[in-house]
Amino acid sequence: MNFRILRRAGLLALFTGVALTSARPARACSSDDLDRGLTIKTPSDPRQIAGDGVLAFDAFIRGEAPEVALARFSLYLSSETDGEMITGEVSHRLLGTAAYGLLDDHSEIVLVWRPEAPLAPGEYVAHATLMESFPIGWSFPVVVVDAPAAPLSPPRVEDIAAAEFDHEARERVCCEQSTTSCGPRSLCLPTRVQVVPGFRVRATLEPADVERAWLWVAPWDGEEPGAPFERMNLWQTYPEERPWWSEWTVAHDIRLPEAAGERCIVVGATSLIDGSVALAPPVCGELAAAREEARTPEFAGFDGGQACISPPVYEDDGSPYPPEPAGGCRIASTDAAPLVLLVVLAGRRRRRTG
């Protein structure tokens, strides 16, 4: 299945742990420059649904509530047989809002269109419109099959394992890099990090369920699932041929900073048609408590080996890194920060002391 991204390709400039790279165009020099509003990933191939089915789309919203953004979206079907226009209702499922501090006011959702009544078998054309400063319209074929949707299958779990993650930097050192079209840049890497426990999960919906259910991971208390975990690292590592809601990849680390001891999780699927749920077998793991660890930053191997043009210094006070032998030990900062930050400082340079 082929997809196309409508309207806001600039959001795809984000990637794990780093704000933006020097290879990005000038218009995406910082997260504030990325377009706000509604972005929809829509299929270019025909969609096939059951008569009682729905149409679902991956969508990303920034700078406004999902309800506000979706009020500008509309869709109707026209029958290839008699031209009848069929309207429906738009709703959404929230998948996540977390991107390690790279964006604010954003939501990743499944956008769902439900016809007012079950559809007769046949061929249709879906006509969608997104109202922005000017209307953006597109269409795609829809085939309705003469059969109700089958019951959901449990998700396919490829791997679940207890894991540990470098979560927050407790202390960082920074250097300046060469200027690009976006302006001067600084690269910061951690020397002390908070390591937290959690789970690494790889799971997917069964192929028959991809167009009619969404996949989630949740805590398991021994009897029923809790609220699903939010997905981390939005817009990352999703295969182009499958909808984003159908996958849970290792990019969506489940981090549990306050956990210790045995914890259990479960992978589930929820129908977008009737809300029914199918669960994979729960999995439990023994988690170690969070702790701090030292790290040795490797500036030369980061960002494609681009060299620093200034000696590294500690971010909090500007003192040299590594510390001078006579300087004794440093007291690590307690402020949390992103683990890796490539900052674009348009028109200004880092203020240093000494």
Side-chain angles (χ1 to χ4, degrees), residues 11-343:
L11 288 167
L12 296 176
L14 296 179
F15 65 98
T16 305
V18 180
L20 295 165
T21 72
S22 58
R24 303 301 175 189
R27 67 176 298 276
C29 288
S30 76
S31 61
D32 288 338
D33 293 331
L34 297 176
D35 292 322
R36 294 175 178 268
L38 175 62
T39 301
I40 300 172
K41 184 184 180 190
T42 185
S44 54
D45 292 344
R47 297 287 288 271
Q48 181 173 297
I49 62 174
D52 58 350
V54 299
L55 293 175
F57 310 89
D58 295 307
F60 187 99
I61 300 168
R62 185 175 184 223
E64 57 189 348
E67 293 78 9
V68 174
L70 294 179
R72 301 194 305 276
F73 173 79
S74 62
L75 186 146
Y76 70 90
L77 298 184
S78 61
S79 171
E80 291 280 72
T81 302
D82 55 17
E84 178 188 6
M85 186 176 76
I86 301 165
T87 58
E89 179 184 37
V90 174
S91 61
H92 75 281
R93 289 274 189 172
L94 180 66
L95 297 181
T97 61
Y100 292 124
L102 294 176
L103 290 178
D104 57 359
D105 301 329
H106 64 280
S107 304
E108 182 183 355
I109 66 169
V110 185
L111 191 163
V112 181
W113 180 86
R114 185 184 309 276
E116 293 179 340
L119 299 170
E123 297 182 354
Y124 299 81
V125 176
H127 306 269
T129 303
L130 178 60
M131 296 298 298
E132 297 295 341
S133 55
F134 57 90
I136 301 170
W138 67 99
S139 61
F140 55 92
V142 175
V143 177
V144 178
V145 297
D146 188 13
L152 286 184
S153 300
R156 181 187 302 169
V157 178
E158 299 175 13
D159 182 53
I160 295 183
E164 293 184 326
F165 308 99
D166 286 359
H167 184 55
E168 292 177 337
R170 299 303 194 186
E171 179 183 72
R172 299 190 305 184
V173 293
C174 305
C175 75
E176 293 181 0
Q177 292 188 305
S178 59
T179 299
T180 70
S181 60
C182 291
R185 302 178 308 155
S186 292
L187 174 63
C188 297
L189 298 177
T191 56
R192 293 197 64 80
V193 300
Q194 180 193 33
V195 179
V196 302
F199 289 91
R200 192 174 291 278
V201 178
R202 292 181 61 206
T204 185
L205 294 175
E206 292 292 346
D209 297 331
V210 165
E211 300 292 344
R212 58 195 183 95
W214 65 285
L215 182 143
W216 45 266
V217 182
W220 177 258
D221 65 5
E223 295 184 1
E224 60 183 19
F229 296 109
E230 283 198 12
R231 296 177 181 231
M232 306 293 288
N233 294 331
L234 303 184
W235 288 68
Q236 291 307 309
T237 67
Y238 292 104
E240 283 299 313
E241 69 275 9
R242 291 174 67 87
W244 300 332
W245 69 75
S246 70
E247 304 278 342
W248 190 287
T249 76
V250 294
H252 305 305
D253 298 333
I254 297 171
R255 304 185 181 194
L256 305 172
E258 307 301 325
E262 187 179 64
R263 294 291 189 275
C264 303
I265 61 173
V266 64
V267 180
T270 298
S271 171
L272 296 169
I273 299 173
D274 59 13
S276 59
V277 173
L279 301 177
V283 174
C284 300
E286 192 73 21
L287 304 183
R291 63 186 185 279
E292 285 194 17
E293 288 186 358
R295 293 288 184 269
T296 301
E298 298 289 344
F299 285 95
F302 189 82
D303 195 20
Q306 297 186 32
C308 295
I309 61 173
S310 68
V313 297
Y314 284 96
E315 182 181 34
D316 56 356
D317 63 6
S319 60
Y321 175 85
E324 298 176 0
C329 298
R330 301 184 80 255
I331 299 176
S333 169
T334 57
D335 294 333
L339 283 175
V340 180
L341 178 62
L342 183 61
V343 182

